[in-house]
Amino acid sequence: MTHPLIIAVDGPAASGKGTIAARLAQTYGLPHLDTGLLYRAVGMGLLDRGGALEDATLAGMVAGGLDVRDLRDSERLTSRGAGEAASRVAGYPGVRAALLEFQRSFAGQAGGAVLDGRDIGTVIAPKAVAKLFITATPEVRALRRWKQLTGRGEVIAYQDMLADIIRRDERDAGRGAAPMVQADDAVLLDTTDMDIETAFDAARRIVEAARVRHGL
Ligand code: DC
C-alpha cells in the first residue's frame, strides 16, 4: 500500500503558507484545507451570536457546531477582524478539541492532502510525509497583509498592521494549547526575500526531497 502524501504547511500569518499550500495541492492533485478558516469561522460565529471573545465555553460550542457552509464567506473570514477573533478563540482547548477530528479526517483521506495552519506538523498530522514551516520577518509579512487588505478596500495603517502581526505571533506562539512551533522534522523556509514563484519553487523542492525519502 502506498503511503498517502500528507503535506503539512505551518507558519505565522502572511508568511506565504496559504498560497504555497494551495499551489502544492494543485501541483500534486490533492485536496487542500486552510485550517485558519476554521478558527476564523468560530471567531465570527461567536461574535454573530453576540458572544464575547473571552467566552471560552460558548466558543467551544460554536466550534462543535461548525458546518462547512460556515467556511464559504471567504471575504468576510479573511478580514482583519476575523483574524484577530480567530487568534483569540484558537487559544481555548475546547475549541481546538472540537476542530481536531475534522482536520484529522481531512488529513487522512486516501490519496493524501495538504493542510496549512499552525499545528499541522505537530498535532494534526505528526506523521505527514512532508512538513514545511514557512516564515518571513514581521515587517515583510505586515506589508504583504497590508497590501492585500488595502487592495480590497479595508482602511488600515501599515504600523497598525505590523502591531497586529506582532501581537498575533506572540499569542499564537505563547498559548498553552498547541502553540505555533516548528516541528522537529519540519523544514524551515524563510520567504522574506522571495517572491511567490521563488518561494513556491523552494517549497516544491522540499516536498520532492521528502517524497524521495519516503520512496513515493
Ligand atoms: O492562518 P490564519 O491567519 O488564517 O489563522 C488565523 C488564526 O487561527 C491564527 O492567528 C491562529 C489560529 N490558527 C490556529 O491556532 N491553528 C491553526 N492550525 C490555524 C490557525
Side-chain angles (χ1 to χ4, degrees):
M1 197 189 108
T2 51
H3 215 58
L5 179 58
I6 303 176
I7 304 176
V9 185
D10 289 304
S15 55
K17 68 180 187 310
T19 309
I20 287 172
R23 290 196 49 182
L24 286 173
Q26 202 179 23
T27 301
Y28 293 105
L30 295 171
H32 168 221
L33 179 65
D34 168 359
T35 62
L37 279 182
L38 302 174
Y39 294 92
R40 287 168 179 268
V42 172
M44 294 312 269
L46 177 64
L47 296 175
D48 288 346
R49 285 165 184 74
L53 292 173
E54 291 73 29
D55 193 340
T57 308
L58 185 57
M61 285 167 63
V62 172
L66 203 68
D67 190 287
V68 282
R69 279 171 299 201
D70 298 330
L71 306 179
R72 278 193 200 144
D73 191 355
S74 65
E75 178 99 357
R76 182 166 186 250
L77 292 181
T78 52
S79 68
R80 182 185 174 201
E84 181 65 19
S87 160
R88 298 279 295 277
V89 299
Y92 302 138
V95 168
R96 305 202 73 86
L99 300 178
L100 188 71
E101 204 37 57
F102 175 72
Q103 296 176 84
R104 286 239 168 105
S105 50
F106 192 95
Q109 293 179 72
V114 183
L115 289 86
D116 73 272
R118 303 289 187 290
D119 62 341
I120 308 305
T122 50
V123 175
I124 304 297
K127 296 213 167 86
V129 164
K131 295 185 188 179
L132 295 90
F133 194 87
I134 317 281
T135 189
T137 61
E139 289 76 15
V140 163
R141 291 188 284 121
L143 188 62
R144 287 177 188 161
R145 191 45 65 83
W146 179 82
K147 282 185 185 160
Q148 183 193 12
L149 294 180
T150 54
R152 63 181 205 214
E154 278 200 51
V155 179
I156 172 165
Y158 167 77
Q159 284 305 331
D160 292 338
M161 197 70 251
L162 179 59
D164 263 22
I165 289 273
I166 291 172
R167 196 175 51 239
R168 269 231 270 154
D169 285 356
E170 284 171 0
R171 201 184 285 138
D172 293 345
R175 65 178 179 231
M180 172 176 72
V181 63
Q182 183 183 342
D184 290 341
D185 51 350
V187 179
L188 182 69
L189 178 59
D190 186 334
T191 66
T192 301
D193 297 317
M194 295 180 181
D195 61 21
I196 188 60
E197 285 307 322
T198 313
F200 172 66
D201 216 52
R204 200 180 44 77
R205 274 185 273 118
I206 293 168
V207 174
E208 282 307 305
R211 287 179 73 191
V212 170
R213 265 201 319 279
H214 284 79
L216 292 176

